[in-house]
Amino acid sequence: MSDASDRPPERPNDRLDERLSERLAASRRPVVGVADDAELLRFSTAGSVDDGKSTLIGRLLYDTKTVFEDQVRHVEDVSRRRGDERVNLALLTDGLRAEREQGITIDVAYRYFATRKRKFVIADTPGHIQYTRNMVTGASTASLAIILVDARHGMVEQSRRHAFIASLLRIPHLVFAVNKMDLVDWSETRFEEIEDEFRNFAARLDVQDIAFIPISALTGANVVEHSRDTPWYHGPTLLYHLETVHIASDRNLIDVRFPVQRVIRPESAEFPDYRGYAGQVAGGVLRPGDEIVALPSGLSTRITRIEQLGQDLDAAFPPMSVTVHLADDLDVSRGDLLCRPNNQPIVGQDLDAMVCWMSERPLAARGRYAIKHTTRWGRAVVTDLLYRLDVNTGHRDEAAPELKLNDLGRIRLRTTTPILYDPYRRNRMTGSFILVDEANNTTVAAGMLLAPE
Amino acid sequence: MMRSYCRSHLRTLEDEAVHILRELAAERERPCLLFSGGKDSIVLLRLAEKAFRPARFPFPLLHVDTGHNFPETLEYRDRRVAELGERLVVASVQDSIDKGRVTEETGPRASRNRLQTTTLLDAIEDQQFDAAIGGARRDEERARAKERIFSHRDEFGQWDPKNQRPELWALYNGRVRRGEHMRVFPLSNWTELDVWQYIALEDIPLPALYFAHQREVFERDGMLYASNPHIKLLPGERIRTEVVRFRTIGDMTCTGAVASDARTLEAVIAEVAAARITERGATRADDRFTEAAMEDRKREGYF
Ligand SMILES: Nc1nc2c(ncn2[C@@H]2O[C@H](COP(=O)(O)OP(=O)(O)O)[C@@H](O)[C@H]2O)c(=O)[nH]1
């Protein structure tokens, strides 16, 4: 997977400044504590090699005081030992040894930092086309994507791909961080050119919210503090944007969807008749007293109680993990779904989906796999490969005989049991699935369901 | 009235962890929960209560006892297990040594830390566990940053970082073949500070070791260690009394203490928020030896 041919081109000579750690240290903010009620924001970062992604993440971690002294010392030691003339901040964010040796981020790595307002989970993903599956993985849980762009090069093929994947995975917020503004003399014209170029392209994408921020990861301009070098820029800094972007309405709070994960029945002397349906709310707002229908049986009843470890709740909404009690003893088990009578998901065995193929063994029509959708496992056969999608151009190749590792494409599946789903664009939790190769148990595809035609 | 339906980061992490535990319980037949007596596994117990009560946990607790535990840890373990009414399985490193499965290290820097891996893997095999829930966090160490929440182990208990299953959305793939097992990490997305804030939020009792107390210590390699019968002093090392607390709790031989006067949860949280050195860097001798120490141990099947 990672032989010599995967290697990126050699890095240019503009290495990190020698005294970067000193400058970073000087710019460090005072100690922050995270407020108990701070929200969680998951975002992914993607960029081509050398766009400055590692430097940017290093700076975000450092300026929010997430990088500890021993980690900085460690990175300095390693840089010295490897004979680098300068401290390489990328080492802070590169995890595994093989990757460190190759000098490239291959897998998805997760990083954490927090400010007073929010806690952040970064899915740091590699940008190269042969790592599309890693990008898709990182994007699957992200509410926001930062796409790094080198101000000197503007929109390149990779940036188009990153934006395209973000829109396909329905990441609601996109940020183009136009980096290395110091190398284009902080030019407003250059920034506007890039913005125009992207806006034209992004008009064809399905993204609700797009922001453009001119930054320099190296100097820190507009990352945490506004920069005097860009007096013409009046928008938020990158960190401020991350702290304030409105994420509450990213969840589907309309369609009640409660996939049952587990039936809790203690059958103990203390709780002889207790029967609770445990799960994580995938959509809508559930309340005691609500009429609901259990699918696939179609029987209806009422919610009598919603609890969490004995504590009663007056409402449950995504992403809460709760236990629901029902008025009648219906035969509800794991894999079933509770919803409102007048707002039900699609029930189907013939599914249309976009998939990202993640295995060395290609997908071919007639391939058989295990499928996991919400809390339900089943079996599926690929009945049709409609087209392979070129992630760089958006071109649909209808003659493609198969999907290879990192390919995206549209397929049709037939499942052994009905699947209770929503189109992915309506609900990321009830609209997604994975395919698993039963011969070796590996996950081979990520799928996003489409509305039936 | 419009409501905002906000969920705090701590509750969001809790929701995720509870979901993971319930998925695991459905995906695997014979899981166990690795309980060390440390704060992360203490939080796991609370999350298991949230996931399964009022029923019993669908798994026993497994403690790998190095024989070099702090007595406070064992007391806490036994008290907590009794309160919960759950089953505890103890796998003992001393037994592994007696059976000749492993050889005790010698010398003043001897530690049973590495030996635990064999004891753990033997216990998993003997008891036919097909999954082990652990309290590891991705923020602890760089090698962990890329590990999956459901992390596959081959029939030798080994982790292959180059060949991990993709993990998408919250759709966990817990499938294994006979003889293989899963490690499952519900706290993957938690940081040290999250763990402390959650302990405060939920008012979870902790072993006294985590709070500042007077203790006989000696200094080695710039770290403070508890004076204990399992460790021999090197020339020049002297026992003295200090006010310290522990940030992690492992073996007495390799868990360092930090000078601190934080005697309450609030004080500890303030200290953690202000800390300038990572938890492991500050207090775990085991990670300091080589650049890729943790990665090597994890490949072999370490926690
Ligand atoms: N001049 C300048 N150089 C930068 C900036 N950001 C990153 N670099 C340099 O670009 C090179 C690649 O950066 P790196 O963060 O490793 O890129 P990655 O491959 O995207 O992770 C390094 O030499 C950095 O010092 C910037 O804002 N301005």
Side-chain angles (χ1 to χ4, degrees), chain A residues 48 51 149 153-161 197-198:
Chain A
S48 313
D51 281 351
V149 181
H153 310 140
M155 183 159 72
V156 294
E157 187 177 273
Q158 302 219 27
S159 4
R160 274 196 294 269
R161 183 169 67 250
E197 203 178 3
F198 271 98

Side-chain angles (χ1 to χ4, degrees), chain A residues 292-301 326 329-332 337-339:
Chain A
I292 57 103
V293 170
L295 296 177
S297 76
L299 299 172
S300 51
T301 182
L326 302 178
D329 261 0
L330 305 182
D331 184 20
V332 174
L337 182 131
L338 307 182
C339 62

Side-chain angles (χ1 to χ4, degrees), chain A residues 38 70 99 112 119 377, chain B residues 9 27 146 189 194 276 278:
Chain A
D70 56 323
E99 289 152 73
Y112 305 85
K119 150 150 184 161
W377 280 102
Chain B
H9 75 290
E27 296 261 322
K146 302 191 178 192
N189 289 321
D194 296 329
R276 299 174 66 87
T278 57

Side-chain angles (χ1 to χ4, degrees), chain A residues 1-2 28 31-40 42 65 68-71 73-74 78 81 91-92 94-100 105-112 119 121 136-137 140-141 169 251 253 261-262 264 266 271 274 278-280 285 287 308-309 314-315 317 319-323 334 358 370 372-375 377 424 428 432-434 436 438-443 446-448, chain B residues 3-16 18-27 46 49-56 58 138-140 142-148 159 161-177 180 188-194 197 201-202 247 270 272-282 290-293 295-296 299:
Chain A
M1 200 178 73
S2 48
R28 260 167 132 182
V31 174
V32 292
V34 200
D36 275 351
D37 60 354
E39 286 173 307
L40 182 80
R42 294 173 200 254
K65 216 181 162 304
F68 295 93
E69 277 173 5
D70 56 323
Q71 292 172 315
R73 266 202 310 273
H74 170 86
V78 175
R81 232 183 302 136
L91 289 167
L92 272 175
D94 269 358
L96 302 179
R97 178 190 298 189
E99 289 152 73
R100 280 202 298 280
T105 316
I106 295 174
D107 210 327
V108 185
Y110 295 89
R111 324 267 165 214
Y112 305 85
K119 150 150 184 161
V121 178
V136 168
T137 301
S140 72
T141 50
L169 273 288
R251 294 161 301 171
L253 292 170
Q261 248 191 310
R262 183 178 186 82
I264 298 184
F271 299 96
Y274 183 104
Q280 184 163 28
V285 181
R287 287 203 177 76
Q308 248 177 349
L309 194 58
D314 60 5
F317 47 87
M320 290 171 70
S321 282
V322 296
T323 302
R334 176 175 164 87
M358 304 198 150
K372 188 177 187 186
H373 171 261
T374 63
T375 55
W377 280 102
Y424 183 77
R428 289 171 89 185
S432 53
F433 65 87
I434 55 170
V436 169
E438 290 187 283
N440 57 15
N441 290 328
T442 56
T443 304
M448 289 147 283
Chain B
R3 286 178 49 173
S4 62
Y5 301 114
C6 280
R7 197 77 176 145
S8 74
H9 75 290
L10 290 175
R11 291 300 177 202
T12 305
L13 292 172
E14 176 191 75
D15 292 326
E16 178 185 67
V18 166
H19 173 80
I20 291 164
L21 287 169
R22 288 170 175 164
E23 280 305 285
L24 168 71
E27 296 261 322
R46 171 53 52 91
E49 289 182 88
K50 299 240 171 184
F52 304 111
R53 287 290 185 249
R56 296 191 51 186
R138 285 177 179 148
D139 83 320
E140 276 176 80
R142 277 161 311 137
R144 293 210 197 268
K146 302 191 178 192
E147 186 159 14
R148 306 296 186 249
W159 178 52
K162 296 287 283 184
N163 197 14
Q164 300 193 78
R165 295 178 183 173
E167 193 160 73
L168 296 121
W169 297 289
L171 293 171
Y172 303 108
N173 171 3
R175 296 183 165 218
V176 294
R177 281 187 276 206
E180 303 173 341
S188 288
N189 289 321
W190 298 48
T191 61
E192 185 187 10
L193 185 58
D194 296 329
Q197 288 189 315
L201 185 69
E202 288 280 315
R247 277 174 78 180
V272 172
R276 299 174 66 87
I277 299 200
T278 57
E279 189 177 279
R280 286 194 164 263
T290 68
E291 131 94 342
E295 190 175 325
D296 289 339
R299 277 173 185 273

Side-chain angles (χ1 to χ4, degrees), chain A residues 112-138:
Chain A
Y112 305 85
F113 72 101
T115 65
R116 225 172 239 300
K117 292 194 191 122
R118 272 186 186 164
K119 150 150 184 161
F120 301 94
V121 178
I122 313 177
D124 180 10
T125 63
H128 240 241
I129 186 146
Q130 60 266 62
Y131 306 119
T132 299
R133 65 166 173 173
N134 305 97
M135 259 180 280
V136 168
T137 301

